Amino acid sequence: MRVVVTLGDVLRRSAEFLAERGCETARLDAERLIGHALGLERIELYMHLDRPLTEPEVAAARELVARRGRREPVQHLLGEWGFRRLTLRVDGRALIPRPETEVVVERCLALLHADQEPRVLDVGTGTGAIALAIADEHPAARVTAIDSSADAIALAGENVGRTGLPVELLLHDLFTGLPAGPWDLVVSNPPYVVPGELDGLAPEVREWEPHAALAANGHTEAVITGAAAVLRPGGALVLEVHGEGAAAVAELLREGGFTDVVVTADLAGRERVVEGRRPADMP
Ligand SMILES: C[S@@+](CC[C@H](N)C(=O)[O-])C[C@H]1O[C@@H](n2cnc3c(N)ncnc32)[C@H](O)[C@@H]1O
């Protein structure tokens, strides 16, 4: 006799399985992955809980849930993820854009508010998230984005194609100095995980995201020095920082001659964004 498996059964068992595997958002993950496998929105799942699934549907759902059980990020399994108004392609070639980085974009847009056609440089662009969001939300901005990872630049290029937004991409190592400006704004979410911290990160990050996007090796300091050389007088630098690092980075900016240094908290109240301005009289 053929056993009937309903959508509700699969959702419940998948959520239990993922919880046993240590996934913190097991139920939500199960809903997203099974919805993806069946081509249904999450809300639609609840309208069809009694629907029997076909064998191919069960197999497709099982494959995604099994991969999630090995702690592959949900975002990689879905292949795309939302960042501000955009839906970007995401995979193991670059960091998955995070909610706190949306606050970085918020600060950039606030600082660019009065500029007519600002020139913006995004340092370490990954998927292109920051650069593309600025180009999307400040259409007059002329945005360039650099990364030293050819994989990241390729993925960002796919996101440029997908969104149709005009962002110039360059394969460029920030330790050789930043591309010549003058830039009205330099923004960066540099690698800032300190040595020894990597082992304590969640498996989704430690095992599936590029270590070159995570491990700090003087990146923040190099961006500050580089930005001071290529910003126009009065231009702004915006940096995402480690959850414990805002005060230290703010001090680095002041020591580097930057003025108007401001620290902004993310939506969880953690100080994650530091900004400053290059004064007119900076040597
Ligand atoms: C934390 S990720 C940020 C990605 C993206 N901007 C975001 O916010 O989602 C840091 C990025 O910096 C890049 N990167 C690391 N070292 C670099 C270097 N020396 N020069 C340029 N980019 C670098 C990594 O490849 C990675 O894409």
Side-chain angles (χ1 to χ4, degrees), residues 49-172:
L49 288 177
D50 295 330
R51 192 191 117 187
L53 297 191
T54 63
E55 280 179 22
E57 285 175 331
V58 173
R62 184 176 289 148
E63 195 214 324
L64 286 180
V65 172
R67 287 171 64 185
R68 180 71 191 114
R70 293 193 287 274
R71 305 297 293 271
E72 195 167 344
V74 164
Q75 294 91 334
H76 289 183
L77 296 171
L78 300 179
E80 60 182 27
W81 198 243
F83 183 76
R84 292 190 65 93
R85 306 194 307 200
L86 305 172
T87 302
L88 300 176
R89 179 166 173 72
V90 293
D91 59 33
R93 289 176 288 175
L95 194 89
I96 299 162
R98 308 291 208 265
E100 52 270 29
T101 308
E102 300 201 6
V103 180
V104 172
V105 174
E106 193 77 47
R107 288 310 307 148
C108 292
L109 294 170
L111 288 161
L112 290 173
H113 181 64
D115 293 344
Q116 291 301 310
E117 287 189 353
R119 290 191 60 193
V120 176
L121 178 68
D122 175 19
V123 179
T125 197
T127 55
I130 295 174
L132 288 164
I134 293 173
D136 179 40
E137 296 183 54
H138 195 320
R142 289 168 293 165
V143 187
T144 297
I146 66 166
D147 206 293
S148 58
S149 155
D151 273 351
I153 289 292
L155 179 56
E158 289 170 27
N159 280 322
V160 167
R162 180 183 180 126
T163 58
L165 290 163
V167 168
E168 177 191 33
L169 297 170
L170 302 174
L171 184 65
H172 181 104

Side-chain angles (χ1 to χ4, degrees), residues 5-276:
V5 182
T6 66
L7 174 51
D9 295 332
V10 171
L11 265 177
R12 182 177 43 75
R13 285 188 216 154
S14 300
E16 286 167 6
F17 169 76
L18 294 180
E20 282 164 18
R21 294 302 167 109
C23 300
E24 280 185 8
T25 51
R27 178 75 193 186
L28 181 61
D29 293 357
E31 289 172 1
R32 282 188 165 132
L33 295 175
I34 292 164
H36 184 67
L38 302 183
L40 295 174
E41 297 294 328
R42 273 179 62 219
I43 184 78
E44 292 176 303
L45 297 175
Y46 285 90
M47 291 150 63
H48 299 281
L49 288 177
D50 295 330
R51 192 191 117 187
L53 297 191
T54 63
E55 280 179 22
E57 285 175 331
V58 173
R62 184 176 289 148
E63 195 214 324
L64 286 180
V65 172
R67 287 171 64 185
R68 180 71 191 114
R70 293 193 287 274
R71 305 297 293 271
E72 195 167 344
V74 164
Q75 294 91 334
H76 289 183
L77 296 171
L78 300 179
E80 60 182 27
W81 198 243
F83 183 76
R84 292 190 65 93
R85 306 194 307 200
L86 305 172
T87 302
L88 300 176
R89 179 166 173 72
V90 293
D91 59 33
R93 289 176 288 175
L95 194 89
I96 299 162
R98 308 291 208 265
E100 52 270 29
T101 308
E102 300 201 6
V103 180
V104 172
V105 174
E106 193 77 47
R107 288 310 307 148
C108 292
L109 294 170
L111 288 161
L112 290 173
H113 181 64
D115 293 344
Q116 291 301 310
E117 287 189 353
R119 290 191 60 193
V120 176
L121 178 68
D122 175 19
V123 179
T125 197
T127 55
I130 295 174
L132 288 164
I134 293 173
D136 179 40
E137 296 183 54
H138 195 320
R142 289 168 293 165
V143 187
T144 297
I146 66 166
D147 206 293
S148 58
S149 155
D151 273 351
I153 289 292
L155 179 56
E158 289 170 27
N159 280 322
V160 167
R162 180 183 180 126
T163 58
L165 290 163
V167 168
E168 177 191 33
L169 297 170
L170 302 174
L171 184 65
H172 181 104
D173 187 331
L174 69 91
F175 288 109
T176 64
L178 300 185
W183 303 99
D184 296 291
L185 184 131
V186 173
V187 54
S188 185
N189 173 15
Y192 52 67
V193 176
V194 290
E197 218 180 19
L198 213 54
D199 289 346
L201 296 178
E204 286 83 351
V205 182
R206 194 181 63 230
E207 288 167 23
W208 295 95
E209 298 208 87
H211 284 197
L214 300 169
N217 188 15
H219 292 76
T220 299
E221 295 79 354
V223 175
I224 294 171
T225 309
V230 297
L231 277 170
R232 70 158 167 81
L237 171 62
V238 180
L239 289 168
E240 181 168 322
V241 298
H242 188 284
E244 311 295 319
V249 173
E251 195 48 38
L252 278 180
L253 281 190
R254 288 191 199 95
E255 284 169 11
F258 284 81
T259 60
D260 303 298
V261 176
V262 173
V263 175
T264 304
D266 65 13
L267 297 175
R270 293 167 306 175
E271 295 186 327
R272 298 305 300 273
V273 187
V274 181
E275 68 194 50

